[in-house]
């Protein structure tokens, strides 16, 4: 205990000595000057009125007078066959203007360089000069924009196709990654893709177009973007790259296509989708495509029977809708079309289509072939392509049979297979095949007792469902008893019984 107290006293003494030494050193240290005191000491003896003033962050210079003498000199050198010396002279002037921030003279110098190469006819030198100018450090966007715009005008003046392609490639390299020339890049890309497509190089043209992500360009209008994307879709379809075509089509916002000034683009877009969905054999999507075309303002105003008129597109929509697999969307569209005002006209041309829609929206068995099979086949041959004729014929019979089976399931709980086949005009094997397809797809519940030859459409009820139904019935009964008692008491009160 004594040793512990002694150590504690020693520790307190050492701490006191250390603190005293630190305070002495702090007093002896020189005081730091504040920022205000430093500024006051620095400004002693300086006349503030005579201090130099700076108008901007960087000093700008004017080289217009130098350009007036050197540009004509370079033109004279180029005419005498010394194009390389002329370019070296103007490149030195371009550097001075660029570093001196003389934008006006810089644009003049750059355009003069490419103009001299063009006037001499040295297209290869022109491409090299443009590449050099665009890669200069801190190059002005105004100079590059002016150079690209000027060179684009000379595309039609090239002596041959190879020179034109080389110039286009050079311009695309110049505009690559530069936001301020996005619009020019999209135009140049389409021209290069057009040349490749004309030469039969569909894959090259498609790759060239898909290399441009035009949906991210801010310099293009909404219409220009959609037009470019439609060209991408067309080339991918020509290349038969169906997956890429579908992905590219997703880039188009369909809300924009509903605007009045977008009607021509809307017709092009859904025309391309029809080509894609025909290849996929997707009847419901085809019906939606034709319905979108049918709802276009310019199409509704066309009363002709041509493919540009609403009659053709409405018939095509109904045709593929009847071929589509039953679903909530398909059923809803059938019921909406049957109420269309244009089908209610006293028109012999539209009467068969109204009749077919009515047949498939009522719970009645439809005989196959249909009463209006001829106009349906004629429309299928026109829009369904000859290669898919047999497919659509088979699909028409299948959809009619499936409709009839759904109708039979509503009216029958159990029925003999032979009787069902007699009602539908099918053999026993065909009935079993179609029933298996519907049951496998989850569209219908059915059980087939093959030895007995009986089909049961009644879905078995679980014990939980039976108990729930019983509880519901009991609750309904008690509600009725309570209401009856209330009415009896009410009559007693009224008549004071």
């Amino acid at each position: 205990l004594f040793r512990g107290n002694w150590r504690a006293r020693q520790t307190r003494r050492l701490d006191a000595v250390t603190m005293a030494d630190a305070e002495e050193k702090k007093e002896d240290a020189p005081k730091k000057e504040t920022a205000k005191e430093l500024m006051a000491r620095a400004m002693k003896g300086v006349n503030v009125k005579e201090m130099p003033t700076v108008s901007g962050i960087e000093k700008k210079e004017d080289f217009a007078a130098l350009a007036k003498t050197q540009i004509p000199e370079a033109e004279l050198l180029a005419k005498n066959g010394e194009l390389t010396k002329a370019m070296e002279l103007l490149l030195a002037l371009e550097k001075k203007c660029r570093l001196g921030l003389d934008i006006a003279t810089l644009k003049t110098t750059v355009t003069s360089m490419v103009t001299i190469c063009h006037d001499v006819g040295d297209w290869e030198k022109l491409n090299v000069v443009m590449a050099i100018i665009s890669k200069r450090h801190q190059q002005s966007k105004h100079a590059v924009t002016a150079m690209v715009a000027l060179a684009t005008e000379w595309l039609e003046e090239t002596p041959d196709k190879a020179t034109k392609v080389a110039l286009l490639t050079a311009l695309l390299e110049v505009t690559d990654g530069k936001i301020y020339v996005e619009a020019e890049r999209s135009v140049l890309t389409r021209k290069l893709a057009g040349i490749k497509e004309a030469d039969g190089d569909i894959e090259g043209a498609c790759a060239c177009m898909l290399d441009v992500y035009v949906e991210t360009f801010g310099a293009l209008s909404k219409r220009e973007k959609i037009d470019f994307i439609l060209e991408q879709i067309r080339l991918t379809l020509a290349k038969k790259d169906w997956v890429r075509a579908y992905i590219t089509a997703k880039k188009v916002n369909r809300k924009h296509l509903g605007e009045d000034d977008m009607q021509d683009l809307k017709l092009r877009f859904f025309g391309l989708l029809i080509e894609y969905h025909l290849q996929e054999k997707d009847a419901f999507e085809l019906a939606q495509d034709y319905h979108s075309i049918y709802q276009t303002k310019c199409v509704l105003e066309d009363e002709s029977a041509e493919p540009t008129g609403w009659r053709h597109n409405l018939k095509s929509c109904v045709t593929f809708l009847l071929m589509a697999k039953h679903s909530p969307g398909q059923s809803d569209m059938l019921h909406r079309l049957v109420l269309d005002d244009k089908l209610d006209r006293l028109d012999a041309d539209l009467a068969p289509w109204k009749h077919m829609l009515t047949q498939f929206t009522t719970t009645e068995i439809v005989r196959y072939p249909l009463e209006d099979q001829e106009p349906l086949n004629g429309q299928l041959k026109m829009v369904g392509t000859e290669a898919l004729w047999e497919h659509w014929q088979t699909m028409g019979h299948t959809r009619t049979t499936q409709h009839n089976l759904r109708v039979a399931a509503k009216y029958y709980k159990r029925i003999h297979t032979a009787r069902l086949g007699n009602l539908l005009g099918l053999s026993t094997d065909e009935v079993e095949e179609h029933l298996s397809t519907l049951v496998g797809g989850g569209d219908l519940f059915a059980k087939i007792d093959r030895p007995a030859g009986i089909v049961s459409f009644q879905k078995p009820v679980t014990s939980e469902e039976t108990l729930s139904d019983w509880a519901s019935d009991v609750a309904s009964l008690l509600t009725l008893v309570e209401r009856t008692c209330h009415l009896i008491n009410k009559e007693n009160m009224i008549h004071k019984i």
Side-chain angles (χ1 to χ4, degrees), residues 248-492:
T248 308
K250 287 290 185 181
K251 297 178 181 179
V252 178
N253 190 340
R254 301 195 183 191
K255 290 182 180 179
H256 298 328
L257 296 175
E259 299 174 7
D260 291 339
D261 59 338
M262 297 283 189
Q263 294 184 47
D264 56 330
L265 297 180
K266 180 180 179 181
L267 296 179
R268 279 178 57 197
F269 175 70
F270 284 106
L272 293 169
L273 284 187
I274 287 170
E275 184 180 348
Y276 169 75
H277 290 131
L278 273 173
Q279 194 275 334
E280 296 292 319
K281 301 178 185 178
D282 194 335
F284 183 58
E285 291 293 339
L286 284 166
Q288 288 185 312
D289 294 338
Y290 277 109
H291 191 256
S292 298
I293 295 175
Y294 163 68
Q295 289 183 317
T296 307
K297 186 177 179 181
C298 62
V299 175
L300 289 172
E301 294 172 354
D302 189 350
E303 294 284 342
S304 67
E306 299 298 323
T308 56
W310 63 265
R311 291 174 181 271
H312 170 82
N313 291 286
L314 181 57
K315 291 176 184 178
S316 302
C317 175
V318 175
T319 299
F320 286 112
L321 195 58
L322 297 179
M323 303 293 153
K325 182 183 177 181
H326 178 76
S327 64
Q330 187 259 3
S331 178
D332 176 68
M333 197 170 181
L334 276 174
H335 285 83
R336 282 190 288 113
L337 278 179
V338 80
L339 300 175
D340 197 304
D341 295 336
K342 292 188 180 296
L343 287 173
D344 291 332
R345 296 183 177 185
L346 298 175
D347 192 336
D349 186 39
L350 298 174
W353 309 96
K354 174 73 173 181
H355 183 243
M356 283 187 284
L357 284 173
T358 305
Q359 283 183 308
F360 280 87
T361 51
T362 54
T363 52
E364 295 180 1
I365 289 178
V366 180
R367 295 292 178 185
Y368 189 86
L370 304 176
E371 296 178 18
D372 306 298
Q373 191 69 38
E374 288 187 10
L376 183 65
N377 289 343
Q379 193 69 18
L380 273 175
K381 288 180 180 178
M382 188 183 303
V383 297
T385 69
E386 295 182 2
L388 298 175
W389 166 248
E390 293 183 2
H391 168 77
W392 296 124
Q393 283 289 94
T394 306
M395 198 57 61
H397 189 198
T398 301
R399 299 308 179 206
T400 305
T401 303
Q402 290 176 351
H403 166 79
N404 292 337
L405 287 172
R406 285 191 298 272
V407 172
K410 289 184 179 180
Y411 288 106
Y412 291 94
K413 290 183 179 179
R414 296 170 76 244
I415 186 173
H416 284 280
T417 310
R419 173 58 179 160
L420 183 58
N422 187 27
L423 287 173
L424 306 183
L426 301 172
S427 65
T428 304
D429 292 339
E430 289 175 332
V431 169
E432 291 182 0
E433 182 183 350
H434 287 292
L435 277 173
S436 301
T437 303
L438 287 175
V439 172
D443 300 324
L444 189 68
F445 178 85
K447 282 187 175 181
I448 303 175
D449 186 352
R450 299 190 75 180
I454 295 174
V455 180
S456 175
F457 294 109
Q458 189 174 10
K459 190 174 182 180
V461 182
T462 62
S463 57
E464 290 82 1
E465 291 175 342
T466 304
L467 184 60
S468 297
D469 292 340
W470 179 82
S472 176
D473 293 341
V474 170
S476 300
L477 177 60
L478 292 175
T479 302
L480 287 173
V481 170
E482 184 181 357
R483 186 178 179 187
T484 304
C485 293
H486 173 71
L487 291 174
I488 291 172
N489 292 330
K490 183 179 179 182
E491 290 293 325
N492 290 336

Side-chain angles (χ1 to χ4, degrees), residues 176-231:
D176 186 22
K178 296 179 176 62
I179 297 175
Y180 48 87
V181 283
E182 287 176 341
E184 290 82 355
R185 180 173 177 77
S186 65
V187 174
L188 294 168
T189 304
R190 289 192 69 167
K191 288 184 177 181
L192 182 59
I195 293 173
K196 291 186 176 183
E197 185 182 7
D199 293 340
D201 186 9
I202 302 296
E203 291 188 3
C206 184
C208 181
M209 289 292 289
L210 292 176
D211 192 42
V212 179
Y213 299 95
V214 72
E215 63 273 12
T216 63
F217 287 6
L220 296 179
S221 65
K222 186 165 48 181
R223 181 182 179 83
E224 289 172 333
K225 289 181 182 179
I226 295 175
D227 184 41
F228 194 93
I229 294 172
L230 291 182
E231 189 66 14

